[in-house]
Amino acid sequence: EYEEWILDNTEIIKDLPAVIIQGRYDVVCPATSAWELHKKLPNADFYIIQDAGHSMTEKGIAAKLIEYTDKYSGL
C-alpha cells in the first residue's frame, strides 16, 4: 500500500522540473527504484553516480545536487 505511494502519485509532479540522482552502490534505495521512478517521470533528468552509495555527502552525489540546486535556484 505505502511502498508504491510515490510511484502511484507522480502525476501530481510530472510537469515540474526534476532530477533523479542515484548512487550506483546504494543498498538502501536500489537503482531499480530510481529507474522505476524515472519511467514514471520521463522528463526528469536521471543520473547514476558511479562511485557513490546512499549518502548525499559523497563527492559525486554532492556535486550533482549542488549543480541542480544552482540550476533550479534561478527559476
Side-chain angles (χ1 to χ4, degrees):
E1 175 177 321
Y2 295 109
E3 290 182 23
E4 301 292 322
W5 190 90
I6 292 174
L7 294 176
D8 291 343
N9 289 281
T10 55
E11 184 68 23
I12 299 166
I13 62 168
K14 71 178 180 60
D15 295 322
L16 297 175
V19 60
I20 300 165
I21 302 167
Q22 172 71 38
R24 178 179 178 199
Y25 298 109
D26 187 339
V27 294
V28 177
C29 298
T32 54
S33 299
W35 178 244
E36 292 300 316
L37 180 60
H38 183 55
K39 289 193 306 187
K40 292 282 204 160
L41 297 171
N43 294 327
D45 294 341
F46 180 69
Y47 297 94
I48 299 287
I49 307 301
Q50 294 301 314
D51 60 349
H54 186 72
S55 176
M56 69 179 186
T57 62
E58 294 184 59
K59 186 177 179 181
I61 291 178
K64 194 57 76 176
L65 288 169
I66 290 167
E67 175 187 336
Y68 272 84
T69 299
D70 290 344
K71 177 180 176 179
Y72 290 148
S73 66
L75 294 179

